[in-house]
């Protein structure tokens, strides 16, 4: 399924959402189309998000400026513009299925904020990550400043966000921003496909419950009780069967 700014493909129970702009730039169409694509995942049990080439250079400022400029100085109008962007990224974050960001090349600004909303992040050795909004007179407002501290810590998030300087794949792995670095894009995409298939084969309610509890920001006791309640509702007798270790 092809849209103006992205495409959605299915292979078995794995779906792949590809940002089709050559640099993965997010224009006005992207924010409208991501929620539409997510609503059409059907029976997919895992989702890969990737770029056609580079993952994403972030917001297409030239295409988006006509929307943003008239709203500057008016908090209500500005919020209405940004709410559409939030709907796309938050919609990705709350999917009940695992989402894998497969990152090659640049992952900048809004692209990094979108990647942070995914469950797992793989990259090629050529990947580069940056949150450069401060250099443009902007405060990142699409969830990166909220999610990144939980992934890489407040200090490292501050280094990214306050300097706007990029980091390479090796540093991203050392910081915990990505879980795997692969030597080239082809190897990385193949690994993303295999990992997505592995996750799609798992019991879906167990995967959904794990995602929900990982995202639960309530106090420890409340989150723990939520995990117990989820299992009480969704655990099956088949799930209690211990697999054989015999070859």
């Amino acid at each position: 399924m092809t849209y103006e700014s992205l495409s959605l493909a299915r292979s078995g129970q794995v779906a792949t959402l590809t940002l089709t702009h050559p640099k993965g730039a997010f224009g006005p169409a992207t924010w409208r189309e991501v929620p539409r694509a997510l609503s059409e995942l059907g029976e997919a049990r895992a989702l890969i998000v990737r770029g056609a080439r580079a993952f994403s250079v972030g917001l297409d400022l030239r295409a988006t400026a006509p929307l943003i400029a008239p709203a500057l100085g008016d908090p209500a109008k500005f919020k209405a513009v940004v709410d559409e962007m939030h709907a796309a990224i938050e919609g990705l974050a709350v999917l009940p299925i695992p989402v894998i960001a497969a990152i090659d090349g640049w992952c900048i600004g809004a692209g990094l904020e979108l990647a942070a909303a995914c469950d797992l992040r793989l990259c090629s050795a050529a990947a580069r990550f940056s949150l450069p909004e401060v250099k443009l007179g902007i405060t990142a407002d699409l969830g990166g400043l909220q999610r990144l501290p939980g992934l890489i810590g407040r200090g490292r998030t501050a280094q990214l966000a306050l300097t706007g300087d990029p980091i390479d794949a090796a540093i991203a792995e050392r910081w915990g921003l990505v879980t795997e670095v692969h030597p080239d894009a082809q190897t990385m995409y193949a690994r993303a496909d295999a990992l997505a298939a592995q996750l799609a084969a798992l019991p879906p309610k167990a995967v959904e419950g794990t995602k929900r509890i990982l995202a639960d920001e309530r106090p420890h006791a409340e989150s723990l009780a939520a995990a117990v309640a989820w299992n009480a509702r969704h655990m099956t007798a088949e799930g209690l069967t211990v697999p054989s270790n015999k070859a």
Side-chain angles (χ1 to χ4, degrees), residues 213-236:
I213 301 306
L214 280 171
D216 192 338
E217 296 182 350
R218 290 178 295 176
H220 175 85
E222 293 180 37
S223 180
L224 190 61
V228 172
W230 182 272
N231 276 338
R233 290 194 302 271
H234 300 293
M235 185 181 289
T236 63

Side-chain angles (χ1 to χ4, degrees), residues 16 53 61 69 92 113 126 130 207 219 229 236:
T16 301
R53 297 180 187 172
L61 290 174
L92 193 70
E113 295 185 281
S130 174
V207 171
T236 63

Side-chain angles (χ1 to χ4, degrees), residues 46-199:
L47 174 65
I48 299 168
V49 180
R50 54 165 291 178
R53 297 180 187 172
F55 183 76
S56 177
V57 296
L59 198 64
D60 185 337
L61 290 174
R62 181 173 297 177
T64 308
L67 296 177
I68 293 178
L72 295 178
D74 187 325
K77 288 183 179 179
F78 191 83
K79 181 179 182 298
V81 173
V82 179
D83 276 352
E84 187 173 46
M85 303 177 186
H86 285 172
I89 293 180
E90 298 303 317
L92 193 70
V94 300
L95 284 176
I97 62 176
V99 182
I100 301 169
I103 302 164
D104 182 46
W106 280 107
C107 180
I108 301 176
L112 178 53
E113 295 185 281
L114 182 142
C118 298
D119 300 298
L120 298 171
R121 286 156 294 281
L122 315 181
C123 76
S124 72
R128 298 293 183 271
F129 303 84
S130 174
L131 201 65
E133 281 85 344
V134 69
K135 293 183 176 181
L136 303 173
I138 302 169
T139 296
D141 61 1
L142 299 182
L145 298 181
Q146 289 70 38
R147 290 191 171 93
L148 286 170
L151 298 173
I152 63 175
R154 186 183 182 282
R156 286 167 173 166
T157 300
Q159 182 171 332
L160 273 178
L162 291 176
T163 67
D165 292 340
I167 61 172
D168 62 19
I171 293 175
E173 183 180 33
R174 189 165 73 243
W175 284 7
L177 180 58
V178 299
T179 55
E180 299 178 15
V181 178
H182 295 275
D184 53 60
Q186 183 177 2
T187 304
M188 186 267 298
Y189 290 134
R191 169 58 177 156
D193 289 341
L195 179 58
Q198 175 187 341
L199 296 176

